[in-house]
Amino acid sequence: MNVLAWKDIRFNFLRFALAALSVGFLITGAIGIAGLYRGIVRDALLTIDEIGADLWIVQGGRVGPFADGSAVSPLLDRRVEGVPGVQSVRRFLQINQQIVVIGKETRLAITGLDFPKDRGGWLDLRSGRLMSALRGEMIADERSGLRLGSVIRLGRDDFTVVGTTRDVVDMSGDPMVFVSIPDALDIADTRPSEAVLLDRAKADNVNPDRPTRISAVIATLEPGANLEDVRAKMALWGDVNVLTADDQRKILLDGRLWRLRMQILFFLILLLAVTGIVVGMTIYSATIEKLHQIAMLKLLGARDRFILSMIVEQALVIGVLAFFTGLAFSKVIFPNFPRRIEMLGGDLIAMFLGVLLICIVGSWFGIARALKVRAQEVLA
């Protein structure tokens, strides 16, 4: 530990404190950007990870229902049930609609549950209960503005909130609400009366009063069943595409979220580069002001290594103070952010080490100038 470095920090405390505060705000932004990406990934994969499906059977030629549109027959589940190795089958439907909730325009991700096979047991309820009726009941996320016991009209029917979740949103950040498949189909097909009458007039429209397609069918396999064998049998049908849960994750991460990942990485690099510049300017200006003292130290026999350690320690002090300042700001600000911010321990450790490395690199400007000072300059 370099005693002179700490004495200089105490003597110029305001300068170092302001530098640490400035860098701390930059680090807060960097933590927020990285956490925002982690939060978006968490939201995007939430349904895939929690619903407990081994296979997703979607429209042929598509990779839906999340990264792409998908529409399959509501009777497809009967075909899937007959495949050897399949333990359970559920239908899945998700639509996004803009509605008015408590006088406020809100966009909801309306998800259909295949009641009674799926009553929402895979959801982490904060209050209330699971669905117990085919019609008129809803489980809603708190971000929708709905609370336990709230009654809301969707389409032509009223729904009562019987359970609530927290931070269950889709990839776009829209809060998710859960109703039965029949209710979701009715909501999806809500149309003006004139449109229904025109459809009824068409000779080729057998049932114009309700939609005939769902998004996907999901299957859970029996213990010990070979996933690839079951998948290959379904793929022979030709009218569907069969995806595993890992396929769905890969499609989202390497497909739909790839550009977002690159954008966030660019902004993160930019913020860390600015952090290095701020630290470098602070250390360089402090070194310029101490050129006479550095020359005196060299005249007294101080080695370059001693002066180098003094400058590096000051830069590291700024980095450490800035990181924990930024972390404290993050803990206060981001829980109130409109999107999920996931501050993972591994990311924070990597960012801390990165900040220390940036501070060491940033101190090079001051070091380079200090090494050019000659002992004779003390007489100047």
Side-chain angles (χ1 to χ4, degrees), residues 42 45-56 65-66 88 90-94 111-114 117-124 176 178 181 216-220 245 248-249:
R42 176 74 180 95
L45 300 182
L46 187 145
T47 301
I48 299 171
D49 290 339
E50 300 297 333
I51 203 169
D54 296 314
L55 292 174
W56 291 76
F66 303 105
S88 63
R90 287 171 284 169
R91 295 175 295 169
F92 180 84
L93 174 63
Q94 189 172 84
T111 303
L113 301 179
D114 197 359
K117 296 178 181 178
D118 188 350
R119 300 172 54 235
W122 52 277
L123 296 169
D124 182 16
M176 297 178 70
F178 302 87
I181 288 280
V217 169
I218 58 178
T220 303
Q248 289 282 18
R249 296 186 189 96

Side-chain angles (χ1 to χ4, degrees), residues 46 123-124 141 165-170 174-176 178 340:
L46 187 145
L123 296 169
D124 182 16
D141 188 75
T165 60
R166 181 177 298 170
D167 293 331
V168 179
V169 300
D170 70 354
D174 297 335
M176 297 178 70
F178 302 87
R340 185 199 302 265

Side-chain angles (χ1 to χ4, degrees), residues 310-321:
M310 180 178 70
I311 296 174
V312 170
E313 281 188 27
Q314 290 181 344
L316 291 176
V317 168
I318 292 175
V320 171
L321 291 177

